[in-house]
Amino acid sequence: AVDESELLTVPDGWKEPAFTREDNPKGLLEESSFATLFPKYREAYLKECWPLVQKALGEHYVNAALDLIEGSMTVTTTKKTFDPYAIIRARDLIKLLARSVPFEQVFRILQDDVACDIIKIGSLVRKRETFIKRRARLLGPKGSTLKALELLTNCYIMVQGNTVSALGPFSGLKEVRKVVLDTMKNIHPIYNIKTLMIKRELAKDPELRTQSWERFLPKFKRKNLKKRKEPKKKNTKKEYTPFPPPQPESQIDKELASGEYFLKERQKKRKKMEEIKAKQADAIKRRQEERNKAFIPPKEKPVVKTKKASTEKKIDIEAIKEKVKNAKKKKLGALPEEEVKLKMAADEKKKKKK
């Protein structure tokens, strides 16, 4: 009897055995080839690293050709090629090289446990300005967001133009695609990064392998802070009626109603001229009134006369008399000599008694 939990999980450190010549001793029946174009600015770099590309592909018996005139790279199988999937890896290799991924990372695609994913993001957002903002959000300040995503997914990520190139294990590529698409849908990558960090910690616990992780993962709710602006003019739908609207009156019907239809041509012309002259007279009158407005003087405010301060002041004789009496009572200036001598004698007596 084998426990079911052991069957569901892959043992730690297990790797799929490598594909060798013994698995396919007779080689391939047909020759396969893939070609891809590259931009002009990649020409100088490809010239430098092409010997390394040929050497790396030569180990898997795949030929590589660089055409600088046409601006293309071609990979083809040979008679010695035994791995049928080697040409697919070679195709991905030249695709990544054309999309500005450096050779130091590209040659990893030839390993069994490494794959690549090219995510097209150019057509996901309508406005160009919005697309540039969201792409910058994926990179983060000084590339910090992208670096965090690379560490959590164990993938190399390259944002170039309208595409995102990712290189790494299959499980990491799946997470990278989800984060990139969510960012283009206006979901900030920090939310997905937080979830990945929690999942990484939970994966370390062997007891939680068979349990659901939903209770541990954060649930972010979208909040619409700005209310939708209501239009100033609201178009109200009229009630549906099966009957068509009444037919508008023609010019002849209007003339018949007013009686103009029965007038002669001379009378009609005279009437028209009178109407035109009346309109002209009204227009002249209005224009003249507007011109005369400039000559109408503005209303002046009435002048308020200020009361002059009365120069004559009533003199209070009784108050002056009281002031004089009080001044007489007060002793002005120094004391006389006799009074000073008496004071001095009184002070000496007091000191002797003490």
Side-chain angles (χ1 to χ4, degrees):
V2 181
D3 192 10
E4 287 182 5
S5 61
E6 289 180 10
L7 293 172
L8 292 169
T9 56
V10 178
D12 291 333
W14 182 86
K15 278 188 178 182
E16 195 176 342
F19 194 86
T20 58
R21 185 170 282 281
E22 292 173 5
D23 297 316
N24 186 17
K26 292 182 180 180
L28 303 176
L29 187 67
E30 292 287 336
E31 187 184 289
S32 302
S33 66
F34 288 101
T36 186
L37 298 169
F38 60 86
K40 187 74 176 171
Y41 62 85
R42 290 290 290 167
E43 191 177 315
Y45 181 78
L46 290 171
K47 267 186 191 178
E48 288 177 13
C49 72
W50 198 249
L52 296 169
V53 174
Q54 285 178 326
K55 189 184 176 183
L57 291 173
E59 291 173 6
H60 296 268
Y61 304 102
V62 177
N63 285 337
L66 178 68
D67 190 352
L68 296 172
I69 297 162
E70 193 183 339
S72 66
M73 292 179 283
T74 312
V75 286
T76 52
T77 55
T78 59
K79 289 179 181 180
K80 290 183 179 180
T81 310
F82 61 88
D83 187 1
Y85 201 72
I87 189 66
I88 303 297
R89 289 192 184 124
R91 180 201 64 182
D92 292 340
L93 185 140
I94 58 172
K95 266 190 184 179
L96 292 168
L97 278 172
R99 294 192 180 276
S100 300
V101 180
F103 178 74
E104 289 79 9
Q105 295 290 337
V106 166
F107 82 96
R108 287 170 55 211
I109 196 73
L110 300 171
Q111 298 170 14
D112 288 338
D113 57 343
V114 177
C116 76
D117 189 9
I118 295 164
I119 307 153
K120 292 179 181 178
I121 56 172
S123 59
L124 296 174
V125 184
R126 286 183 184 179
K127 288 184 182 178
R128 186 70 184 167
E129 291 174 4
T130 314
F131 167 73
I132 291 161
K133 281 180 183 177
R134 288 181 189 176
R135 188 179 63 182
R137 194 182 291 169
L138 183 64
L139 293 165
K142 296 179 182 178
S144 57
T145 308
L146 198 69
K147 191 68 185 172
L149 199 61
E150 283 180 351
L151 292 167
L152 289 166
T153 57
N154 296 322
C155 293
Y156 174 80
I157 305 162
M158 180 77 183
V159 181
Q160 174 75 11
N162 295 333
T163 57
V164 177
S165 306
L167 185 76
F170 291 98
S171 58
L173 292 174
K174 191 180 175 183
E175 295 293 342
V176 169
R177 179 171 273 274
K178 185 181 177 295
V179 173
V180 169
L181 294 176
D182 282 354
T183 306
M184 290 295 124
K185 289 175 187 174
N186 202 21
I187 298 165
H188 204 281
I190 197 70
Y191 299 128
N192 287 310
I193 286 167
K194 277 186 179 180
T195 309
L196 287 169
M197 285 169 77
I198 293 162
K199 280 182 180 178
R200 197 179 188 183
E201 291 298 318
L202 292 169
K204 292 175 183 177
D205 194 351
E207 292 179 5
L208 295 169
R209 277 186 177 180
T210 55
Q211 294 179 19
S212 177
W213 292 353
E214 282 185 12
R215 57 199 172 123
F216 301 110
L217 300 176
K219 291 174 183 178
F220 301 105
K221 290 181 182 179
R222 292 187 76 179
K223 292 180 182 180
N224 293 328
L225 298 172
K226 289 183 179 179
K227 290 182 180 179
R228 187 176 169 273
K229 289 181 180 179
E230 292 182 357
K232 288 181 181 178
K233 292 179 181 178
K234 291 183 180 179
N235 296 328
T236 52
K237 287 185 177 180
K238 295 176 183 177
E239 291 181 8
Y240 173 74
T241 53
F243 306 105
Q247 196 172 357
E249 289 184 346
S250 64
Q251 192 66 27
I252 295 164
D253 292 337
K254 287 175 183 178
E255 285 179 1
L256 283 167
S258 62
E260 285 181 33
Y261 186 77
F262 304 103
L263 295 172
K264 291 178 183 180
E265 284 294 324
R266 282 183 183 178
Q267 290 172 331
K268 282 180 182 179
K269 281 182 181 180
R270 195 184 300 155
K271 196 176 182 183
K272 272 186 181 180
M273 287 299 291
E274 284 173 3
E275 285 174 1
I276 290 162
K277 282 178 181 178
K279 281 181 182 178
Q280 284 176 351
D282 287 338
I284 290 161
K285 193 180 179 182
R286 262 186 264 115
R287 214 178 296 138
Q288 198 64 37
E289 283 175 1
E290 284 177 7
R291 284 177 183 174
N292 291 337
K293 277 179 186 177
F295 299 103
I296 297 165
K299 288 181 180 179
E300 293 181 0
K301 290 179 182 179
V303 180
V304 180
K305 289 180 180 179
T306 53
K307 290 179 181 179
K308 289 180 181 179
S310 57
T311 50
E312 294 176 2
K313 290 181 181 179
K314 291 179 181 178
I315 298 162
D316 194 357
I317 297 162
E318 291 178 1
I320 293 164
K321 283 180 180 179
E322 284 179 7
K323 280 182 182 180
V324 172
K325 282 180 183 178
N326 291 332
K328 280 180 181 179
K329 285 176 184 178
K330 288 178 183 178
K331 291 177 180 179
L332 301 169
L335 293 168
E337 286 181 9
E338 293 175 0
E339 286 183 11
V340 172
K341 285 176 182 178
L342 288 168
K343 254 192 176 185
M344 291 281 282
D347 289 337
E348 283 176 7
K349 281 180 183 179
K350 281 179 184 179
K351 283 178 182 178
K352 283 177 182 178
K353 283 177 182 177
K354 287 176 181 179

